Amino acid sequence: EEESGWGARRRAIGSIKHATRFKSEIRASSGKKTETFVPMTTFGVGVVGYGAAARSFIQSINGDRCLQLRWVVEDDVALLKEAAQSLKGSKVRVQDAVAYDELLRSDSVQLVVICGKLSLRSQRIKEALEQNKNVLADSFISREMCEIKALFTIARRQKKFLSVFMPGRTCSHYTSRMMSCIASSSKIEVERLSPRNEDEEVASRQNFLSQDEIEDSVFDLVIKDCSAINFCCCMRPVTVSASLRRGVDEGVQVSFVYPNQCEMTTRSMARNLEIKDQIFTLWGDRLSSMSREDQFYVSNCDKAGGAAREEETKGKCYRFVQKYGAAQDRAVEQARRAMQGESAGLRSDLVEQCMLDCIHIAHQIISSLQAQRPVDLDYWYYLAPSELLLISCFPLHPPPRFLRRSFLF
């Protein structure tokens, strides 16, 4: 009976090319539980770029049985050649970025992952959404708030998924213990974790950063480092001060002060724009207890939530590394769930708000660099119309205290 009935059926359906899943049902007549196979739709994915971030996304896409990589386009000639060599023998089309329009017209692609050139990301996202594609973008996509608002407006109008990968914001990347420690710190240092490269060090000694490179590194720093602290502390900085570093580690160093008087210092370099792994060092007398180290130390980096490795514990000073390979897996999974019509576990309005916050903060950091002094931050741009009307009722007086909010929630 096993061979002729259920067993034969399982083997026959198991030979189907597309992935399948079980669906449990209880028959009304007999009351017995039965399992039937339901074919799972496979979604085609096109990736723009082949840098470190794009390769990490490709690894996450290949690990999802419901996603199939179909296109890779790249602007850089060297990276294009590397992609062609790496994907040789597969069914993936590797093309110069001039073929991006052809990618968007392809019916075999439902999701577009946007990496590649920073200056072209917002335009490419807009074109993808207008072609009814779902979009997952890597971190920094625009310097202008109006562009961010326009992109999310198009996504809502087209009823398509649009998300931006940011450390912390895509959920499940920090344990409650790690968030508690970060939120209770008096001082935080964040450093981007990247391998040293002698050729790049020699080049950095010879060439100063251009103004565009400096500003790109500022936006990158805010979206990856500042947004992570904002997420863990549920608040936004009220003061920023920035300075330019020269030499081997040329880049921007920024200090943020939060409403609870916590000070966070971080720095970013132009050559680290695609690096997301971070080293956190926390200080403070009110630092949360580390009695439950098992929640703080995760040895398996394949778990959803990444890996946090405790390097040093001396008194009231903790140090750990946060990796984001698993976070990118989660971001890809959210995009796939949205295309399947399921809950993605992600609110696009909060992603949009976080992007607006980051752009606003980045512009104030640039102002601090130019003025060479600290700059205070207000967040009036995000007030609701009713709150703006209330402010107009107090033209000669400071606005009510609850309107001068720096807290996220």
Side-chain angles (χ1 to χ4, degrees):
E1 181 180 357
E2 177 70 13
E3 286 294 322
S4 60
W6 178 249
R9 185 184 178 204
R10 171 175 287 185
R11 286 194 301 277
I13 298 179
S15 63
I16 296 177
K17 180 178 180 181
H18 297 296
T20 58
R21 61 180 174 183
F22 286 105
K23 181 180 179 181
S24 297
E25 295 179 345
I26 299 178
R27 290 185 179 180
S29 58
S30 63
K32 293 182 179 180
K33 185 176 180 180
T34 62
E35 288 185 327
T36 58
F37 282 97
V38 180
M40 295 181 71
T41 305
T42 300
F43 299 97
V45 184
V47 177
V48 180
Y50 200 71
R55 291 195 297 271
S56 183
F57 275 116
I58 288 173
Q59 186 175 357
S60 299
I61 292 165
N62 290 336
D64 193 310
R65 63 179 184 173
C66 293
L67 299 177
Q68 185 172 353
L69 182 64
R70 300 188 186 277
W71 280 75
V72 172
V73 298
E74 172 58 66
D75 296 282
D76 185 85
V77 176
L79 289 176
L80 181 63
K81 185 180 295 185
E82 181 181 344
Q85 182 66 29
S86 177
L87 299 171
K88 186 178 181 180
S90 68
K91 296 182 179 180
V92 181
R93 291 189 60 178
V94 181
Q95 299 283 336
D96 188 273
V98 294
Y100 182 60
D101 290 341
E102 186 180 351
L103 182 158
L104 296 181
R105 291 193 300 269
S106 173
D107 294 333
S108 66
V109 174
Q110 290 78 41
L111 173 65
V112 181
V113 178
I114 306 289
C115 302
K117 278 190 175 181
L118 300 177
S119 59
L120 299 176
R121 286 186 185 179
S122 61
Q123 180 62 29
R124 284 172 171 169
I125 292 172
K126 178 177 180 291
E127 292 172 358
L129 291 172
E130 290 176 342
Q131 290 290 333
N132 289 312
K133 306 297 184 185
N134 300 281
V135 177
L136 173 60
D138 177 56
S139 302
F140 171 42
I141 59 176
S142 176
R143 298 181 183 181
E144 303 300 330
M145 291 186 190
C146 59
E147 289 187 359
I148 297 296
K149 292 179 180 179
L151 292 175
F152 279 91
T153 299
I154 294 172
R156 285 189 286 268
R157 185 181 68 226
Q158 300 288 87
K159 297 181 179 179
K160 292 298 178 181
F161 176 84
L162 170 61
S163 184
V164 182
F165 176 80
M166 291 177 288
R169 179 52 63 182
T170 42
C171 307
S172 304
H173 309 152
Y174 292 97
T175 66
S176 58
R177 176 61 54 183
M178 295 154 73
M179 292 177 67
S180 176
C181 287
I182 290 173
S184 62
S185 301
S186 297
K187 184 180 179 182
I188 303 172
E189 281 190 5
V190 185
E191 181 181 355
R192 205 72 54 78
L193 182 64
S194 62
R196 308 293 293 187
N197 185 301
E198 292 183 2
D199 294 336
E200 289 179 343
E201 289 182 5
V202 171
S204 65
R205 292 190 190 101
Q206 297 173 348
N207 301 312
F208 288 112
L209 295 178
S210 67
Q211 184 63 28
D212 283 342
E213 288 176 323
I214 291 172
E215 293 185 4
D216 283 347
S217 66
V218 167
F219 280 91
D220 177 78
L221 175 148
V222 174
I223 289 173
K224 292 174 183 172
D225 299 346
C226 180
S227 69
I229 302 301
N230 294 357
F231 176 79
C232 290
C233 297
C234 288
M235 62 182 72
R236 300 172 291 195
V238 293
T239 305
V240 296
S241 58
S243 60
L244 193 61
R245 298 167 59 93
R246 296 294 186 184
V248 174
D249 293 331
E250 183 177 10
V252 179
Q253 179 167 311
V254 185
S255 293
F256 303 86
V257 178
Y258 285 82
N260 64 350
Q261 301 306 309
C262 173
E263 181 179 346
M264 190 265 283
T265 303
T266 182
R267 67 176 183 271
S268 183
M269 293 168 279
R271 60 186 174 88
N272 285 351
L273 295 188
E274 292 197 329
I275 304 297
K276 297 175 181 62
D277 296 349
Q278 298 158 309
I279 302 175
F280 287 84
T281 307
L282 316 176
W283 290 273
D285 292 334
R286 61 174 185 252
L287 200 59
S288 178
S289 172
M290 288 297 296
S291 58
R292 294 287 301 279
E293 291 185 4
D294 57 319
Q295 293 186 18
F296 190 78
Y297 179 84
V298 183
S299 59
N300 185 359
C301 64
D302 293 330
K303 284 186 177 181
R309 186 171 302 125
E310 186 181 357
E311 299 288 346
E312 175 182 324
T313 305
K314 295 181 180 179
K316 292 292 183 178
C317 175
Y318 303 134
R319 179 179 172 87
F320 66 91
V321 175
Q322 177 72 12
K323 292 184 177 293
Y324 284 97
Q328 287 185 307
D329 292 344
R330 174 64 172 159
V332 170
E333 178 192 353
Q334 288 172 335
R336 186 254 298 161
R337 288 175 63 87
M339 290 188 292
Q340 289 175 331
E342 302 176 9
S343 173
L346 179 73
R347 286 179 54 184
S348 61
D349 59 330
L350 291 182
V351 175
E352 180 182 2
Q353 176 192 340
C354 188
M355 289 298 299
L356 294 175
D357 289 342
C358 289
I359 291 174
H360 176 62
I361 294 169
H363 282 302
Q364 301 309 307
I365 291 174
I366 294 171
S367 297
S368 176
L369 276 173
Q370 294 170 346
Q372 297 185 351
R373 61 177 177 79
V375 173
D376 294 332
L377 282 80
D378 285 317
Y379 297 92
W380 303 111
Y381 67 89
Y382 199 70
L383 292 178
S386 59
E387 294 173 328
L388 291 173
L389 178 62
L390 185 57
I391 290 176
S392 66
C393 296
F394 298 89
L396 301 178
H397 303 281
R401 185 176 182 83
F402 73 90
L403 288 178
R404 302 188 64 182
R405 60 183 184 227
S406 56
F407 291 85
L408 288 174
F409 307 107

